[in-house]
Amino acid sequence: MKIDDRLKQLDELPQNEALKKSIYQNIHKKPVRKQYQLKTLREIGIMAAICFIGLFLLFTSDMNNQAASGEIAKITSYENNGEKGFRGRTSTLFVGVENVTTDSIIALFENISELPAVMAPPKSDVHYDIIVLYKNGEQRKFELAWNYMHDISNDAFYPGYDQFPSTVLSDLENAHDRFQFPSIFIGLGVLVMILVASSYYKRRQIELPKKIRGMGIAMTIYIIVVAIMGYYYFMIGPFYKPLLLLLLFAYGFSIWWLIKKEVTNLHILKVEKYKILFIVLWFLIGIGTA
C-alpha cells in the first residue's frame, strides 16, 4: 500500500496519532535519493574506468624495457626529423620514444670504445636521438645519423650507420615502424561525429541551446593549453602520455559538466554524452599508438 494512502487512513484514526507522528518523523529524517546524483556517479565511474584502462595499457607497454646483455640496462630511441635540439627520452611513455633491445644495437653500444674517432662532420637533419642507460646508473646520449654518431655526453664523434652492419639501421627503423594512428584520422573522426550529431538534431527537429554558460571560457582555456602543448612539442620535446591522458579526460568531463548544467532535453544530453565519449576514446587510441 502506498504511504499516502496509509497516512490518509491514519488521519481517520485519532488513537494512532503517535504512530502517525512517528511515521512523519521517519519520512523527514530519511534523505531522498536524487536520480541525477546516481547518474553523475555513474558517468564519473565510466570516465574513471576508461582512464584506468588507458593508464594500464600505457604502463604495461613499458614493462619489457630491459636490454639483458652486458652492462647495458636500457636503450631508447627517438626518430628526430630535424626538430630543434636533442629530443630523446628514457621512457617509452613519451610520444615517439621506442625501446630498442636487438642484439645489433646492444653490441654497438657495448663496444663503443672500439669505434674509431672521426672529426665532426656536417650535422644531419634526420637522425636518431638515442639514450643508453647502464646498470651502474650512468646515462649517455647519442645522435646517430648516416654519416656520424655523436656521443653528446663526451663530445666525441664516430662513423655513422652507413659504415655499420645493415642490421643496425634496419633494427632502428623497425622499432619506429610499428603501427601508429595517423593524426589526420583523429580530426576526421571528430568531424564525422559532429556531422552525425548535427544530422540527428536536424532530422528530429531538435533546437540546440544558443548559449551555454561557461563554454566560451572553457574553450579559451583549451585553446591556450593546446597552444602551450604545441610550443612544448616543437621547442622542447615529446609529450608524456599519462599527462596527455589526464588532460584528455579533464576536457571530456568538464565539457559534459557544462552541457549537463544548462541542457534539459534528454535527447540532446544523450547525443552529447556519446559524442564526448567517442571523441575521448578516439584521442585515447591516438595517444596509445603514438
Side-chain angles (χ1 to χ4, degrees):
M1 183 180 293
K2 292 183 179 180
I3 189 65
D4 291 339
D5 295 336
R6 180 61 177 163
L7 290 175
K8 286 179 182 178
Q9 290 184 1
L10 290 174
D11 285 336
E12 299 173 0
L13 302 172
Q15 65 271 25
N16 286 331
E17 189 68 31
L19 178 59
K20 183 172 66 175
K21 185 179 295 184
S22 174
I23 293 174
Y24 273 117
Q25 289 176 349
N26 289 334
I27 291 174
H28 287 296
K29 287 180 181 179
K30 187 176 181 179
V32 178
R33 181 178 292 179
K34 296 183 179 180
Q35 189 176 8
Y36 77 88
Q37 290 178 336
L38 294 177
K39 287 185 176 180
T40 301
L41 291 174
R42 184 176 62 189
E43 288 153 5
I44 293 174
I46 292 172
M47 299 296 286
I50 296 173
C51 185
F52 281 121
I53 290 171
L55 286 173
F56 173 79
L57 293 175
L58 288 174
F59 280 104
T60 53
S61 67
D62 193 45
M63 290 180 65
N64 186 22
N65 58 12
Q66 297 297 312
S69 176
E71 296 301 318
I72 292 178
K74 184 179 179 182
I75 300 175
T76 53
S77 171
Y78 178 85
E79 190 174 8
N80 193 324
N81 294 311
E83 295 96 339
K84 183 179 179 181
F86 185 90
R87 299 165 63 86
R89 296 292 186 271
T90 57
S91 173
T92 55
L93 289 179
F94 285 91
V95 173
V97 176
E98 300 294 342
N99 190 43
V100 186
T101 58
T102 59
D103 292 339
S104 65
I105 302 296
I106 294 171
L108 172 65
F109 289 102
E110 281 183 341
N111 300 293
I112 190 75
S113 60
E114 299 179 9
L115 294 177
V118 298
M119 299 294 293
K123 286 279 189 174
S124 175
D125 287 337
V126 180
H127 56 269
Y128 292 94
D129 293 342
I130 297 175
I131 296 180
V132 180
L133 182 65
Y134 294 89
K135 293 180 180 178
N136 62 3
E138 181 187 1
Q139 179 178 300
R140 293 171 68 178
K141 297 179 179 179
F142 296 87
E143 278 185 6
L144 179 58
W146 69 272
N147 60 333
Y148 70 91
M149 180 165 65
H150 182 199
D151 183 348
I152 298 175
S153 303
N154 297 316
D155 195 22
F157 286 88
Y158 303 99
Y161 58 69
D162 257 13
Q163 299 185 41
F164 297 157
S166 59
T167 52
V168 171
L169 177 59
S170 62
D171 286 346
L172 285 172
E173 289 177 338
N174 291 336
H176 289 276
D177 279 348
R178 67 183 181 86
F179 172 77
Q180 293 183 348
F181 199 69
S183 300
I184 191 172
F185 282 4
I186 296 177
L188 289 175
V190 174
L191 180 60
V192 168
M193 192 63 193
I194 292 174
L195 292 175
V196 170
S198 300
S199 175
Y200 176 86
Y201 292 140
K202 187 176 181 180
R203 189 172 62 253
R204 293 289 188 103
Q205 295 182 343
I206 298 174
E207 185 177 351
L208 295 172
K210 294 181 180 179
K211 186 177 181 180
I212 297 179
R213 287 183 298 176
M215 188 64 75
I217 296 174
M219 294 309 298
T220 301
I221 293 173
Y222 298 143
I223 291 172
I224 292 173
V225 170
V226 170
I228 293 173
M229 290 169 59
Y231 173 83
Y232 182 93
Y233 181 79
F234 288 107
M235 301 303 296
I236 300 175
F239 297 120
Y240 190 52
K241 289 183 180 180
L243 176 59
L244 287 177
L245 193 64
L246 179 62
L247 293 174
L248 175 61
F249 282 99
Y251 161 80
F253 187 77
S254 59
I255 290 293
W256 172 240
W257 182 68
L258 291 172
I259 292 174
K260 193 173 180 181
K261 279 177 55 179
E262 298 293 326
V263 176
T264 57
N265 188 305
L266 294 179
H267 290 290
I268 297 177
L269 287 174
K270 186 175 181 180
V271 171
E272 293 300 315
K273 178 172 69 174
Y274 286 130
K275 186 168 74 173
I276 291 170
L277 285 173
F278 174 83
I279 292 173
V280 170
L281 288 172
W282 203 242
F283 273 90
L284 178 61
I285 294 172
I287 293 173
T289 60

